[in-house]
C-alpha cells in the first residue's frame, strides 16, 4: 500500500507540498505546523518507565493501548509521517492569573479551560487542512487526532520542531512559550521531516520549585498522582488530605509551572474568540460556583472542558478551596448547605472544609 502511494505521488514536489501545508495551516489559525517522522523510540522508553513506576495513577487509559501509543504505524496502518500543529489559547481578556491565585475567595481555573473546549475546534481545523491537502494531491490516507486517541503528541511535536519538552513536561517554544494546544494528522505520505527542537531549559528549575504539591519530582519527571491537574480533573474519588491545603483555590487544573516559566514572556495572546472566558469563570466567586446545582453546572459548562470533572468533582474541588479560605460566615454557610449531599465524596470534603474553617477561626 505505502509503495503504491509513493509511486503515485512521485511526481509531486514534496518540499513544496510541506511549505504549502505550513501556509495552509497558518491560514486556518494554527501558529505553527511541522512534520515529524514516526520513530518514537526514546519517548517509548520514558513512557514505559513512567507507567512501571505507577505515576499515571488512575489514568489506566495511558497503558491500555500498549505499543500503539508510541508506534504510529500500529495505530494507523501505513502512517509514514505526522503533521503536528500548535494553536495559542491564552486570551487577553482573562483576569490576571496571579491576581486570582492571591484572592482566596476566588476560583482559579486553568486558563486553557475557560473558553470553548478546544478538541472540536482544532479537530475541525485539522479536517479542513487534510481536505486542502487532498485538493492539491488527490486522495490519500490520513486520520486526525486531538487528544482523542493513544498519541504521544508532545514527543511528536518536538520531533516536528514545534518546541521541546520542558522540565515540567509541557512543550515549550522559544517564540511562544507554552500556552498552546497541539493536534496531529497521521498521513500515509512520506514527507520531509522538520529538524527536532532542542532543549533550552538550561539550569532553570523555577517550575520544579514552584509546584505546590511537589509533582515534578525531578527534571522531566512528573508524578501525576501529586499533580493538581490530575487531582482536580482525572481523579474520581477523594483527594488525599496531604494535597488539599496546597491546592489552595485551584478548582480545575493548575498553571503554576507555566506562570513562572521565563519562556512565557514570549507568549502571545490568541485571536480565537472561542477561547475567551465564559460565564465570568476567570474571576468567579467560590461560594457562587459552589451553589450551582447539577443542571446549572451542565448548562453552563456545555461545550467546555470543565465538564470533564463532573458535578461531583466540581463540588469536591470547590469544597477543598473553601476550606482553604479565611474563615467567614459566608463560607461556612455555603458549606453547611452541602453537608448532607447525596455523594459521600462531596460530604467528606465538605466536612474536611468545615473542620478546617473551625481550626482557622480558633487561631485567628
Amino acid at each position: 500500500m505505502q509503495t503504491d502511494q509513493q509511486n503515485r505521488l512521485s511526481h509531486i514536489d514534496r518540499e513544496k507540498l510541506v511549505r504549502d501545508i505550513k501556509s495552509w495551516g497558518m491560514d486556518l489559525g494554527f501558529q505553527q505546523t511541522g512534520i515529524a517522522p514516526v520513530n518514537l523510540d526514546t519517548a517509548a522508553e520514558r513512557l514505559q518507565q513512567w507507567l512501571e513506576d505507577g505515576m499515571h495513577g488512575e489514568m489506566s487509559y495511558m497503558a491500555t493501548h500498549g505499543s500503539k501509543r508510541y508506534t504510529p504505524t500500529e495505530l494507523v496502518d501505513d502512517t509514514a509521517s505526522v503533521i503536528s500543529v500548535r494553536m495559542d489559547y491564552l486570551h487577553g481578556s482573562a483576569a490576571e492569573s496571579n491576581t486570582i491565585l492571591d484572592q482566596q475567595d476566588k476560583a482559579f481555573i486553568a486558563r486553557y479551560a475557560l473558553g470553548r473546549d478546544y478538541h472540536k475546534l482544532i479537530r475541525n481545523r485539522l479536517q479542513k487542512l487534510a481536505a486542502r491537502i487532498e485538493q492539491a494531491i488527490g486522495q490519500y490516507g490520513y486520520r486526525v487526532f486531538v487528544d482523542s486517541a493513544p498519541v504521544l503528541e508532545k514527543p511528536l511535536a518536538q520531533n516536528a520542531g514545534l518546541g521541546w519538552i520542558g522540565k515540567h513536561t509541557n512543550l515549550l517554544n522559544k517564540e511562544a512559550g507554552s500556552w498552546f494546544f497541539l493536534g496531529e494528522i497521521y498521513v500515509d505520505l512520506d514527507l520531509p521531516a522538520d529538524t527536532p527542537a532542542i532543549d533550552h531549559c538550561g539550569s532553570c528549575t523555577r517550575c520544579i520549585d514552584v509546584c505546590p504539591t511537589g509533582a515534578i519530582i525531578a527534571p522531566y519527571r512528573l508524578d501525576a498522582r501529586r499533580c493538581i491537574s490530575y487531582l482536580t480533573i482525572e481523579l474520581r474519588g477523594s483527594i488525599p488530605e496531604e494535597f488539599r491545603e496546597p491546592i489552595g483555590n485551584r478548582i480545575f487544573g493548575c498553571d503554576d509551572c507555566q506562570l513562572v516559566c521565563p519562556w512565557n514572556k514570549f507568549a502571545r495572546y490568541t485571536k480565537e474568540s472561542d477561547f475567551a472566558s465564559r460565564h465570568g469563570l476567570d474571576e468567579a466567586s467560590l461560594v457562587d460556583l459552589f451553589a450551582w446545582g447539577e443542571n446549572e453546572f451542565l448548562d453552563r459548562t456545555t461545550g467546555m472542558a470543565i465538564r470533564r470533572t463532573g458535578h461531583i468533582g466540581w463540588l469536591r474541588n470547590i469544597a477543598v478551596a473553601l476550606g482553604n479560605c479565611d474563615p467567614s460566615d459566608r463560607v461556612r454557610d455555603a458549606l453547611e448547605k452541602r453537608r448532607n449531599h447525596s455523594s459521600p465524596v462531596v460530604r467528606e470534603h465538605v466536612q474536611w472544609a468545615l473542620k478546617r474553617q473551625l481550626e482557622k477561626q480558633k487561631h485567628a
Side-chain angles (χ1 to χ4, degrees):
M1 173 71 177
Q2 195 173 65
T3 300
D4 292 342
Q5 180 76 339
Q6 289 173 351
N7 289 336
R8 188 168 65 82
L9 298 176
S10 60
H11 66 286
I12 292 176
D13 183 341
R14 299 187 186 205
E15 296 284 354
K16 180 180 183 302
L17 177 59
V18 168
R19 291 196 296 273
D20 287 340
I21 290 171
K22 293 179 178 181
S23 176
W24 298 331
M26 188 73 71
D27 292 341
L28 286 166
F30 299 118
Q31 277 64 58
Q32 191 175 0
T33 301
I35 311 298
V38 296
N39 187 303
L40 289 169
D41 288 348
T42 300
E45 293 176 7
R46 291 177 179 173
L47 173 63
Q48 289 170 332
Q49 186 62 57
W50 186 71
L51 291 171
E52 288 175 11
D53 292 340
M55 292 188 185
H56 57 305
E58 294 183 4
M59 296 184 292
S60 58
Y61 59 84
M62 291 298 298
T64 53
H65 296 282
S67 57
K68 285 185 178 181
R69 189 172 294 276
Y70 49 81
T71 312
T73 52
E74 287 187 20
L75 182 61
V76 182
D77 290 342
D78 299 318
T79 299
S81 303
V82 176
I83 300 172
S84 180
V85 303
R86 64 175 186 83
M87 179 181 284
D88 296 337
Y89 67 76
L90 190 64
H91 205 279
S93 65
E96 207 277 326
S97 295
N98 286 316
T99 299
I100 302 302
L101 286 168
D102 288 340
Q103 298 181 60
Q104 294 180 335
D105 63 328
K106 299 288 188 181
F108 182 83
I109 294 171
R111 303 293 93 171
Y112 83 87
L114 290 173
R116 178 185 174 186
D117 189 339
Y118 65 95
H119 293 87
K120 289 184 179 179
L121 185 149
I122 295 180
R123 186 180 299 115
N124 290 339
R125 303 282 179 90
L126 286 174
Q127 289 286 0
K128 290 180 180 179
L129 178 57
R132 184 65 186 85
I133 296 170
E134 191 166 62
Q135 290 176 8
I137 67 172
Q139 189 175 6
Y140 70 104
Y142 72 88
R143 277 189 65 184
V144 166
F145 298 109
V146 185
D147 211 18
S148 55
V151 173
L152 287 181
E153 61 178 11
K154 287 182 283 190
L156 285 168
Q158 179 166 352
N159 290 344
L162 302 191
W164 73 95
I165 299 173
K167 292 178 181 177
H168 47 21
T169 74
N170 293 313
L171 199 75
L172 282 165
N173 182 286
K174 286 181 70 175
E175 285 79 38
S178 61
W179 304 99
F180 50 78
F181 298 125
L182 298 172
E184 302 78 36
I185 309 177
Y186 281 29
V187 298
D188 65 358
L189 308 174
D190 186 12
L191 300 173
D194 283 285
T195 303
I198 299 173
D199 191 312
H200 293 281
C201 284
S203 60
C204 179
T205 60
R206 292 187 192 182
C207 59
I208 298 173
D209 300 336
V210 79
C211 182
T213 54
I216 309 171
I217 59 173
Y220 316 104
R221 294 267 295 168
L222 177 74
D223 188 341
R225 297 167 298 184
R226 304 181 64 90
C227 179
I228 293 176
S229 289
Y230 168 83
L231 295 169
T232 58
I233 303 172
E234 301 290 344
L235 185 67
R236 293 305 172 192
S238 297
I239 296 174
E241 287 199 27
E242 65 179 298
F243 301 129
R244 295 180 189 179
E245 182 178 351
I247 282 175
N249 61 345
R250 302 167 186 83
I251 67 166
F252 189 94
C254 178
D255 285 335
D256 286 37
C257 60
Q258 297 192 88
L259 291 170
V260 299
C261 180
W263 289 107
N264 270 326
K265 65 185 176 183
F266 299 112
R268 303 166 189 172
Y269 289 128
T270 181
K271 297 179 180 179
E272 298 288 340
S273 59
D274 279 338
F275 295 153
S277 177
R278 298 182 174 186
H279 309 298
L281 286 171
D282 56 322
E283 52 182 348
S285 157
L286 287 169
V287 169
D288 290 345
L289 298 184
F290 199 54
W292 285 6
E294 184 171 12
N295 288 337
E296 185 172 9
F297 170 79
L298 293 175
D299 179 62
R300 289 180 177 254
T301 60
T302 298
M304 300 181 70
I306 291 173
R307 182 175 283 200
R308 180 172 175 79
T309 193
H311 188 238
I312 298 301
W314 178 254
L315 294 178
R316 175 199 63 184
N317 297 345
I318 300 174
V320 170
L322 288 171
N324 290 325
C325 285
D326 288 334
S328 73
D329 291 340
R330 186 167 184 256
V331 169
R332 284 192 296 275
D333 288 346
L335 288 166
E336 286 289 352
K337 290 177 181 178
R338 298 288 191 186
R339 180 192 281 273
N340 297 314
H341 193 275
S342 59
S343 166
V345 171
V346 174
R347 291 199 304 270
E348 177 203 342
H349 289 76
V350 166
Q351 290 164 6
W352 175 87
L354 284 167
K355 180 181 178 182
R356 183 160 164 74
Q357 279 282 302
L358 183 60
E359 291 172 348
K360 283 189 168 189
Q361 187 176 27
K362 287 180 179 179
H363 294 94

